[in-house]
Amino acid sequence: MTTPNPLELSAAAMRSLVQEALDRIVAHIESLPTQTVSDTEGGFAVAESLAEAMPEGGAPVAELLDLFFQRAVPPTFNTASPGYLAYIPGGGLFQSAVADLIADATNRYSSVYAAAPALARIEMNVVDWFREIVGFPPAARGTLTSGGSLANWTALVTARRERLPADFLKGTIYTSDQSHYSVAKGAILAGFPEGNVRMVATDDRYRLRVDALAERIAEDRSQGFTPFLIAAAAGTTNTGAVDPLPELADLAAREGLWLHVDAAYGGFFLLTEAGKRAMRGIERADSIVLDPHKGLFLPYGTGAVLVRDGEALRRAHSLTGDYMPGMQEDPDRVDFSQYSPELSRPFRALRVWLPFKMHGAGAFREQLEEKLALAHLAADRLRAMEGVEILAEPQLSLLAFRLAPAGVPESKLNPLNQRFLDRVNARQRVYLTATRLRGRFAPRICVLSFRTHRDRMEMALEDIAAAQREVLGA
Ligand SMILES: Cc1ncc(COP(=O)(O)O)c(C=O)c1O
């Protein structure tokens, strides 16, 4: 008689495991509206108590799940909460979590077309929907990554391989002083010296200044550098600023530069009319990064890069081995391993495909329109409050502001606003974070979760008003 293999679960054991997990997941999600939003008290102690040696034997699953849900999850930034208005919110669609379970349980090899043609086709469809959203031509290709950082890096490597010789160290990259640090990091990881990344000044709305950029390009050329790529932002992390894309596309065309657009935060607002207006010209880019784990509310772990000339993406990544099955010649049969730095990877497409097919793009558009409206509502109400200064009006669903009461000198405003922000967050109904804008400490509100609605924005505004009264001693 063979001994049973504990790693191979019976049908009953699989059902029971999923049920144990599901009971806790549903309870967790249902209680999100009343959970704290950023109470990390005791989190370090829990973390330290969890350090452990590799277990030789097993433990009951209920105990393990309780440890995770009761001890590990609570003392965290609650990124799934409707009150999470910090950084760039994610969300975490349950539909995508189920898709992950299915993708992992079936565990097929979707990076090689011949190994799972229909799965590769599903990923091709997802990439093609994204292509349509940004307005790229049918010859564009793309790939799903783990997030925006890897997507920015993939775009930079593609541009470098396409536009520069093997000795590329004279190549220079231009981005604004507001761009996400993953652009500079991507350039460094693509092999460029750190000093070749030019941080160009921005205007009063934190958008890249095309005049300053043109000057810097000319100066670099005169010094023997090879300007080759502009990395614009369609929604910066600091203020949601959208760089002047039509002017940048004109300049890139005149100068023969690759135009990359980091639309990790803003890109999916292209599903809305207001977003299309704000990001007009994005379709003229050579490459674009989108982050479904931001603008499509997916759980963390999905970014996307799209390249106008799909062949350029393939040329930059196509390499195979004698031990592999044959790669496809037909461009309509995509081997994603030939368009991506990854070979083995999770089947990410299903976590986009399932919710998109279940609900349609319209459901996402409605949610995104609501987020834009909520950011404008917040800006209007803050503007009307005495002693509040809007530092960055919403260009999409993000705004920055601060308390600037009459008579308080500039030198006192940063610590005052830090105390104010701490008071807002102490209420644990919303979580806001701040940035620095030209030296000014600037609390920001970023609305992007499918769980955030008007009621929560009203709570945010109430808590802001109460915190203002507290720090001003009114
Ligand atoms: C504009 C922008 N680009 C890139 C990134 C990096 O994306 P990820 O965190 O998915 O790597 C972010 C993250 O917030 C972002 O806001």
Side-chain angles (χ1 to χ4, degrees):
M1 207 177 95
T2 53
T3 35
N5 172 1
L7 297 183
E8 183 72 272
L9 301 184
S10 67
M14 281 189 273
R15 287 204 175 85
S16 147
L17 174 58
V18 171
Q19 195 58 51
E20 287 271 7
L22 191 60
D23 290 345
R24 290 163 176 83
I25 292 167
V26 171
H28 174 76
I29 292 178
E30 287 206 310
S31 69
L32 276 171
T34 53
Q35 289 175 20
T36 57
V37 185
S38 62
D39 183 3
T40 54
E41 178 83 32
F44 286 16
V46 175
E48 281 145 25
S49 76
L50 292 183
E52 61 182 351
M54 181 168 65
E56 186 54 39
V61 72
E63 237 173 63
L64 304 175
L65 296 176
D66 284 345
L67 178 152
F68 184 75
F69 280 96
Q70 291 172 15
R71 296 185 61 213
V73 172
T76 53
F77 294 175
N78 193 340
T79 44
S81 161
Y84 192 81
L85 306 173
Y87 307 106
I88 307 287
L93 286 177
F94 179 72
Q95 298 88 322
S96 297
V98 173
D100 280 359
L101 176 61
I102 297 166
D104 292 354
T106 50
N107 198 32
R108 293 301 198 269
Y109 212 74
S110 56
S111 297
V112 174
Y113 191 88
L119 275 69
R121 181 68 241 182
I122 287 174
E123 182 155 350
M124 287 170 64
N125 288 348
V126 166
V127 168
D128 213 47
W129 299 339
F130 292 175
R131 177 192 68 72
E132 229 178 274
I133 289 172
V134 303
F136 266 180
R141 290 287 178 273
T143 188
L144 300 180
T145 66
S146 58
S149 300
L150 265 286
N152 273 329
W153 174 71
T154 304
L156 283 157
V157 170
T158 302
R160 190 203 82 197
R161 296 204 53 179
E162 196 60 18
R163 293 289 176 89
L164 292 175
D167 176 3
F168 54 80
L169 296 182
K170 286 281 177 198
T172 44
I173 292 122
Y174 302 84
T175 192
S176 92
D177 59 17
Q178 298 290 309
S179 70
H180 191 270
Y181 77 84
S182 61
V183 169
K185 186 171 170 178
I188 294 164
L189 294 179
F192 291 95
E194 210 167 329
N196 288 24
V197 183
R198 313 292 195 224
M199 300 293 185
V200 181
T202 43
D203 65 14
D204 57 355
R205 294 177 67 199
Y206 304 100
R207 298 170 307 179
L208 195 153
R209 270 182 43 206
V210 182
D211 59 334
L213 172 60
E215 268 172 36
R216 191 67 210 257
I217 291 170
E219 188 187 324
D220 281 338
R221 284 204 201 284
S222 73
Q223 292 185 2
F225 286 103
T226 310
F228 102 101
L229 181 139
I230 302 169
T236 61
T237 318
N238 266 345
T239 65
V242 179
D243 287 334
L245 301 175
E247 290 80 0
L248 290 172
D250 289 345
L251 180 69
R254 265 199 319 277
E255 295 281 349
L257 305 192
W258 180 286
L259 177 62
H260 172 66
V261 179
D262 177 4
Y265 154 61
F268 285 108
F269 284 108
L270 286 164
L271 283 166
T272 72
E273 286 308 313
K276 278 186 199 148
R277 280 195 300 279
M279 290 178 274
R280 194 173 55 84
I282 196 168
E283 71 288 348
R284 294 175 62 194
D286 293 293
S287 54
I288 300 175
V289 160
L290 300 171
D291 235 354
H293 65 199
K294 296 185 171 72
L296 291 185
F297 326 119
L298 259 60
Y300 295 119
T302 309
V305 58
L306 299 166
V307 178
R308 159 185 295 282
D309 172 5
E311 280 301 291
L313 182 64
R314 197 184 56 79
R315 278 192 293 274
H317 293 92
S318 63
L319 218 58
T320 185
D322 292 338
Y323 37 80
M324 294 293 292
M327 297 293 137
Q328 306 299 313
E329 297 299 330
D330 181 343
D332 289 330
R333 293 179 179 164
V334 171
D335 291 296
F336 279 99
S337 60
Q338 303 300 295
Y339 291 79
S340 151
E342 294 179 298
L343 175 54
S344 303
R345 59 191 191 130
F347 180 44
R348 300 185 178 106
L350 203 65
R351 52 188 0 236
V352 180
W353 184 84
L354 190 65
F356 248 64
K357 291 286 286 180
M358 283 172 71
H359 306 287
F364 289 87
R365 182 176 299 111
E366 260 174 44
Q367 285 300 312
L368 290 163
E369 278 166 352
E370 184 193 21
K371 307 316 149 207
L372 295 172
L374 288 174
H376 283 279
L377 170 89
D380 290 346
R381 298 269 288 275
L382 289 170
R383 210 180 299 107
M385 284 170 69
E386 207 175 312
V388 172
E389 181 186 9
I390 308 278
L391 294 173
E393 292 282 350
Q395 295 180 39
L396 294 166
S397 70
L398 204 178
L399 63 131
F401 68 103
R402 67 173 179 171
L403 301 187
V408 177
E410 184 64 42
S411 62
K412 295 253 164 54
L413 288 181
N414 285 357
L416 175 81
N417 277 282
Q418 176 70 70
R419 288 198 300 282
F420 159 72
L421 186 64
D422 292 345
R423 295 293 180 105
V424 174
N425 291 336
R427 294 177 143 70
Q428 289 297 326
R429 299 201 297 177
V430 295
Y431 183 43
L432 311 187
T433 50
T435 187
R436 292 223 168 226
L437 295 176
R438 307 201 167 122
R440 294 169 300 182
F441 183 90
R444 21 185 314 290
I445 295 178
C446 182
V447 203
L448 200 60
S449 171
F450 67 104
R451 296 193 173 111
T452 305
H453 305 294
R454 173 87 184 237
D455 58 339
R456 192 59 64 149
M457 189 53 74
E458 294 293 348
M459 288 181 205
L461 292 162
E462 279 168 25
D463 291 355
I464 285 169
Q468 182 191 34
R469 284 192 300 274
E470 281 172 23
V471 292
L472 297 180

